[in-house]
Amino acid sequence: MISLEALEALDYLLWLRTGNGASEALRKSQSSISRQSRETLIAFGLKIHRQEGEWQLKGPKDLLQLERELHQLYRFQRGGPLRLEAPYWWQRALDPAPEGWCTGVFDHVGIQRPQELLRQRIVDAWLYAAPDLPPSDDPDLQVFRLSAMPLYLVAAPDHPLAGEHNLSLQDVARFPTLALTSGAIPQSEQQLRQLGLWTTPMRMRCYDEASWEGKCSDGLTITYGHGLSMQLQPQLSCLDLPLDFPTGDALVVHRDVASFWAIELLLLELRKRLAAVALAQPSFELLSC
């Protein structure tokens, strides 16, 4: 119904948010991105509009989704390029992008938008961390666990609790602990609130270091660290308070593409890149399934 290039232009625009981003990723002019996106919208009787910083489509999408399924199958069978989205803590580890894959914006706050992109087959795979992963009985999505690791509380080196031993949650409760807007990562939010954490919401439309880890520069605010994120915040110190909060990264894909060789190769490459983290962090465990 529509060419591969035309739907690709629209989906990259939806994914990367701007004509410039889509233009750079696809190595096309912005005018080509605009023209081909319009062509796709007209073909499916859709309109596009901004909602909370993201492009959304308005109109009947059933035929579009069938077309996306077909185009995704073509990408997997003909060698891509395939599309991978991930949270901010993966940005360094995914540079350069795995062979055959194109990476995204790395700045989504929470799980709603990236999971939406995955379910709509705009992206082909998504990295995120437990506990905010699709359940094992999700009819459409399959989760491949990559790692298991603890969650740490971290703060600036001049924080009153830095260097103190045998801390309790009561000690931490005297200080602000960062939080996202309610519902952004619902499972984590629920568990951290039960621990008396997650007390000071930060309004971020997109991830911004100054609005997250940077808040710890006040010498009072506490945030969180795990796995790859610990490598991105060397200026912060772990507090001596083990949390009963198991987490760990995972790759999420549609079940009907999970057996493709491209997914197996991606899993091998991701585990290879995580191996250095496992060497540096004794509590970090690589998983094989």
Side-chain angles (χ1 to χ4, degrees):
M1 181 178 288
I2 196 74
S3 71
L4 290 168
E5 293 77 13
L7 181 53
E8 181 181 60
L10 176 63
D11 282 350
Y12 268 73
L13 178 62
L14 294 168
W15 177 26
L16 304 179
R17 298 195 187 102
T18 66
N20 184 56
S23 173
E24 290 183 1
L26 294 173
R27 298 181 181 180
K28 296 179 179 180
S29 67
Q30 290 194 51
S31 60
S32 293
I33 297 295
S34 178
R35 175 178 53 78
Q36 291 177 331
S37 296
R38 283 198 308 272
E39 177 185 338
T40 304
L41 293 171
I42 292 170
F44 290 101
L46 299 169
K47 294 184 179 181
I48 191 170
H49 65 103
R50 282 277 193 184
Q51 183 176 327
E52 296 183 352
E54 303 286 356
W55 287 113
Q56 298 285 358
L57 298 180
K58 185 176 182 180
K61 306 179 187 68
D62 290 349
L63 287 179
L64 175 63
Q65 283 308 116
L66 291 173
E67 192 80 2
R68 280 182 174 147
E69 288 186 37
L70 180 64
H71 286 210
Q72 184 180 64
L73 183 62
Y74 182 90
R75 287 196 297 276
F76 274 97
Q77 291 183 338
R78 298 300 178 94
L82 297 165
R83 309 164 191 171
L84 174 63
E85 188 54 83
Y88 75 92
W89 59 84
W90 272 94
Q91 186 165 7
R92 184 182 298 175
L94 290 176
D95 185 15
E99 184 176 356
W101 291 82
C102 176
T103 52
V105 294
F106 295 104
D107 67 359
H108 293 291
V109 174
I111 63 172
Q112 181 178 349
R113 180 58 173 174
Q115 192 170 146
E116 182 180 72
L117 293 171
L118 180 67
R119 290 189 183 277
Q120 293 177 1
R121 301 179 190 264
I122 294 173
V123 302
D124 301 305
W126 171 50
L127 284 161
Y128 209 70
D132 291 285
L133 296 168
S136 58
D137 60 353
D138 187 291
D140 299 316
L141 301 181
Q142 183 164 337
V143 176
F144 293 95
R145 294 297 300 269
L146 297 170
S147 63
M149 53 195 172
L151 185 73
Y152 300 98
L153 293 178
V154 297
D158 60 349
H159 192 281
L161 299 182
E164 296 293 322
H165 299 290
N166 300 317
L167 296 173
S168 68
L169 288 170
Q170 288 73 27
D171 296 322
V172 172
R174 297 185 290 121
F175 300 95
T177 51
L178 289 181
L180 297 175
T181 302
S182 183
I185 44 176
Q187 297 300 319
S188 293
E189 177 183 350
Q190 180 182 13
Q191 294 185 33
L192 291 171
R193 285 190 184 279
Q194 289 173 352
L195 295 172
L197 306 170
W198 204 256
T199 62
T200 309
M202 294 293 107
R203 291 190 173 274
M204 291 190 296
R205 176 171 288 178
C206 298
Y207 167 74
D208 172 54
E209 182 180 0
S211 300
W212 193 245
E213 296 93 347
K215 293 295 183 181
C216 294
S217 63
D218 63 5
L220 295 174
T221 300
I222 297 171
T223 187
Y224 319 92
H226 59 78
L228 290 169
S229 77
M230 297 292 294
Q231 299 184 333
L232 301 179
Q233 47 196 34
Q235 77 280 11
L236 301 180
S237 301
C238 289
L239 301 184
D240 184 22
L241 176 59
L243 294 178
D244 183 16
F245 190 104
T247 183
D249 284 305
L251 182 73
V252 188
V253 300
H254 273 270
R255 291 187 181 275
D256 57 9
V257 302
S259 60
F260 275 98
W261 184 236
I263 297 299
E264 182 64 30
L265 290 178
L266 178 60
L267 288 168
L268 288 172
E269 180 62 23
L270 293 173
R271 291 188 176 108
K272 177 181 176 181
R273 298 191 187 196
L274 288 174
V277 183
L279 290 175
Q281 300 180 30
S283 57
F284 184 98
E285 179 185 359
L286 285 177
L287 302 178
S288 59
C289 60

